[in-house]
Each structure stands twice: as C-alpha cells, then as structure tokens.
C-alpha cells in the first residue's frame, strides 16, 4: 500500500467541450456521476470540487456520494471565471461584480467547513488583461491583492490557495508566475494565503517546476500542488509523466528533499481518453516516482549538484527512475 495520498480535480471525470466540438466529447455528466467515476480509480482518496454546482444536487447528496466512494474533499474551487466574471472577478471594473466574486468565494469557504476540506482554491482566470492600454496596471494589481486579502481576512480559520497561470482565458493573467504570486501574497501579509503549484502551469510559463516549488517552499507558501503534463506551448493538461517524466521526477525530488507533505493531486483533462484509466495510469507513474526517490542516493545527488555536474546528476536520476 502506498503511503501517499492521491487526489484529483473532479473535472477530471467531466465531459469536455472546446470551440470545435461544441457538442462535447461525450454525454453530459452530473456531479454525482463524476464522484462515482472518481470512486472507480485505484488509490484515489480525495477530490477537489467546483462550486456552485447544479441546484438540483443537494449538499447531502454530494456527501452521500463521497461516503459511498470512500472519498474526501481537499478543496473547493469557486467558479470565478465564468461569463459573469468576463472582465474579471477581483479586478472587475464593476464594484458589484467584485462583491459577487467575494460572496461566491465565501460560499465556497462555507462548503470547505461543511465538507471538512483543506482550502478554498482560487483560480482567478479572468483577472488580467488582453490589450496594451486596456487597464491601469496599478489599479489592476492592487485589486488583485486586496480582493484575496479581504477573503482571507474574512475567513482566518481557512487556507486560501492561488493557482497561478501565465494565460488563458486572459492573454495576461494577474497571477501569472510563481514570483509574481509570491509578491502578491507577501503584500497581503496574511498567513493563510499560499500557492497551489500546478506542474503544467509552471511548464507553460517557461519555469522549472522544481525551481518554482523550491521558491514557494522557501517562502513558506507551498500549500498544495497539481500534476499533469503538456508540450510547454499550452496548458494541455495531459496525463502526468507522459511528456516530461524527468522534470516531474525533479519536482518530486525537490518536495521530498524539503520534507513537503501533501496530496499528490491530478489536474488532467482526458478529452478523448477513458477518464478512470487516465487517472490510474498517472497514479501508477507517481507511485513509480515515489519508489524511485527511495532508490535515489540523495547524498550523491547533492554532491553532484554542489559541483554543478550535470551529467552525473542526470545519470543518478535516470538510473533511479528508469534503471539505466
């Protein structure tokens, strides 16, 4: 049995649409159906759930579905990126829309308490800008900081995690990098705001995910993480380890070296693949990474890194991960 805890965003089990297949890549699924699919994944024990969900599904029904599938909730992700917030959630020029975003996030906070989750996950995908001269950058950044700081101050008993991303849906997102997000969090000056580091977003942003993790850890702000994969030019949300296995190994090496403990969580979008099989495949590889970390000689790796010996470091990593 693995000593690790594995999780997934409940959207992993959804039906997807894009701007071409507007009719979706399969029949629509309810939240309850998605939870039941998550329950079929080997070793999966926690999920992140979007809110609000359909009004015809009660909280009690969600609790019952979670219980029968032996699942718990790690986070609630308020949908502050929908059409209502097309010009931004925390940065919207309309004060009434900013207030609506705050209320939606406070509703999510109440769900976190009700379901015994760990945090409210904030992905302010519409906060940002698209064109030169579109926004006043000082005002935009100030509202980004103040909006989340207000939430965290209203709910000092809960954690709030910011999932940064370079772009999409906005051309420039306010929280676009690990460094910019840390700057914003430090300006808030609150202990209950941290980062959820998405491995694929770091790749997409031209970052080294291991370096990003170390930076967030050094500031005491790595509250959570998601893993997936992509081709670096877009947030493809592919199965973890299928494209960048060695960088994924370095990412988890960094977490192990720093004694970071938390859920190993999937943020994948299997548009055309079987969602249960895609989750099982990813978790199997994550378990392989964990075993490879047990095999890796950390002292030898540190010695190679102290000498900036790239080839020795690569040989050590490849032998532990691939056996060659």
């Amino acid at each position: 049995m693995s000593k690790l805890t594995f999780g997934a965003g409940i959207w992993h089990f959804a039906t997807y649409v894009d701007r071409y297949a507007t009719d979706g890549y399969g029949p629509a699924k309810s939240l309850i159906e998605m939870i039941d699919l998550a329950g079929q994944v080997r070793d999966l024990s926690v999920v992140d759930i979007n809110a609000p969900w359909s009004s015809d599904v009660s909280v009690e029904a969600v609790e019952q579905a979670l219980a029968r599938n032996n699942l718990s909730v790690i986070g609630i992700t308020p949908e502050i990126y929908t059409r209502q917030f097309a010009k931004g959630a925390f940065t919207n020029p309309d004060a009434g829309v900013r207030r609506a975003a705050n209320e939606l996030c406070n509703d999510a906070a109440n769900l976190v308490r009700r379901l015994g989750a760990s945090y409210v996950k904030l992905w302010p995908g519409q906060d940002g800008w698209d064109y030169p001269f579109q926004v006043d950058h000082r005002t935009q950044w100030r509202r980004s900081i103040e909006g989340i700081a207000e939430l965290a101050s209203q709910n000092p008993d809960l954690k709030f995690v910011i999932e940064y991303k370079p772009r999409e849906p906005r051309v420039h997102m306010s929280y676009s990098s690990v460094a910019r997000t840390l700057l914003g969090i430090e300006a808030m000056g609150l202990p209950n705001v941290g980062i959820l580091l998405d491995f694929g977003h770091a790749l997409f942003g031209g970052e080294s995910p291991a370096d990003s993790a170390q930076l967030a850890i050094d500031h005491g702000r790595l509250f959570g993480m998601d893993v997936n994969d992509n081709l670096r030019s877009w947030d493809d949300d592919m199965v973890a380890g299928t494209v960048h296995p060695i960088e994924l190994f370095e990412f988890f090496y960094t977490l192990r070296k720093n004694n970071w403990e938390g859920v190993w969580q999937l943020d994948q979008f299997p548009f055309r693949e079987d969602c249960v099989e895609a989750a099982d495949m990813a978790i199997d590889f994550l378990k392989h990474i964990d075993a490879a970390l047990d095999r890796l000689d950390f002292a030898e790796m540190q010695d190679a890194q102290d000498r900036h010996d790239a080839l020795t470091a690569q040989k050590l990593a490849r032998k532990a991960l691939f056996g060659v």
Side-chain angles (χ1 to χ4, degrees):
M1 294 293 291
S2 173
K3 62 182 181 294
L4 301 171
T5 300
F6 296 105
I10 199 64
W11 50 90
H12 179 101
F13 307 97
T15 298
Y16 308 107
V17 299
D18 60 27
R19 62 189 180 128
Y20 300 103
T22 56
D23 55 344
Y25 284 87
K29 298 173 191 151
S30 70
L31 174 58
I32 302 303
E33 288 173 320
M34 288 187 273
I35 293 172
D36 286 338
L37 281 169
Q40 297 177 32
V41 178
R42 301 188 311 268
D43 301 308
L44 191 73
S45 56
V46 300
V47 290
D48 181 330
I49 297 179
N50 309 86
W53 53 74
S54 176
S55 60
D56 61 350
V57 177
S58 67
V59 178
E60 291 78 11
V62 171
E63 289 174 321
Q64 291 167 10
L66 291 166
R68 71 169 173 265
N69 286 288
N70 296 311
L71 295 170
S72 60
V73 179
I74 185 172
I76 296 294
T77 300
E79 293 189 339
I80 52 173
Y81 40 79
T82 56
R83 183 171 60 183
Q84 179 183 8
F85 304 107
K87 288 190 175 182
F90 303 117
T91 62
N92 198 289
D94 186 327
V97 176
R98 297 198 300 273
R99 181 52 45 198
N102 175 273
E103 292 171 357
L104 193 63
C105 292
N106 270 297
D107 289 344
N110 289 330
L111 277 174
V112 166
R113 295 184 183 97
R114 168 77 180 262
L115 298 174
S118 299
Y119 51 67
V120 176
K121 189 184 80 179
L122 302 174
W123 184 66
Q126 301 286 6
D127 283 354
W129 67 95
D130 305 308
Y131 292 92
F133 290 100
Q134 184 174 8
V135 300
D136 178 277
H137 292 292
R138 176 177 291 164
T139 300
Q140 196 79 348
W141 186 231
R142 176 176 54 80
R143 285 177 176 165
S144 295
I145 293 168
E146 290 177 351
I148 293 177
E150 180 183 22
L151 270 174
S153 297
Q154 290 167 335
N155 301 276
D157 58 316
L158 298 182
K159 289 182 178 180
F160 290 81
V161 299
I162 303 171
E163 181 178 3
Y164 70 86
K165 183 179 177 180
R167 59 175 298 181
E168 192 211 13
R170 299 312 291 258
V171 175
H172 298 276
M173 287 177 60
S174 291
Y175 292 103
S176 58
S177 68
V178 65
R180 188 174 174 91
T181 306
L182 285 170
L183 278 173
I185 292 171
E186 292 307 309
M188 295 173 205
L190 297 167
N192 58 329
V193 183
I195 284 177
L196 185 138
L197 202 165
D198 184 297
F199 180 84
H201 292 180
L203 289 176
F204 179 28
E207 298 176 357
S208 159
D211 174 63
S212 301
Q214 188 64 65
L215 194 61
I217 288 169
D218 287 345
H219 285 78
R221 299 292 184 172
L222 187 60
F223 288 7
M225 57 89 165
D226 285 337
V227 292
N228 44 49
D229 217 328
N230 61 50
L231 298 176
R232 261 197 161 93
S233 60
W234 197 249
D235 184 32
D236 302 302
D237 284 325
M238 298 161 71
V239 174
T242 53
V243 184
H244 294 97
I246 199 73
E247 287 183 89
L248 190 63
F249 188 39
E250 186 194 20
F251 176 72
F252 283 108
Y253 163 76
T254 301
L255 298 184
R256 172 80 72 90
K257 187 168 66 171
N258 286 275
N259 298 311
W260 187 89
E261 294 183 355
V263 173
W264 290 29
Q265 184 156 283
L266 306 179
D267 183 3
Q268 303 178 158
F269 279 65
F271 277 77
R272 301 164 184 84
E273 291 73 39
D274 180 273
C275 60
V276 173
E277 184 180 1
D280 281 332
M281 180 179 175
I283 290 173
D284 285 346
F285 189 66
L286 295 182
K287 290 163 71 176
H288 177 74
I289 281 181
D290 187 53
L293 289 171
D294 290 337
R295 293 190 294 270
L296 181 66
D297 190 319
F298 276 59
E300 284 190 15
M301 179 62 78
Q302 187 63 58
D303 179 67
Q305 291 179 340
D306 289 344
R307 293 181 285 107
H308 291 199
D309 186 344
L311 297 184
T312 296
Q314 282 290 309
K315 288 175 183 177
L316 291 167
R318 287 171 59 177
K319 184 175 182 180
L321 186 60
F322 301 123
V324 295

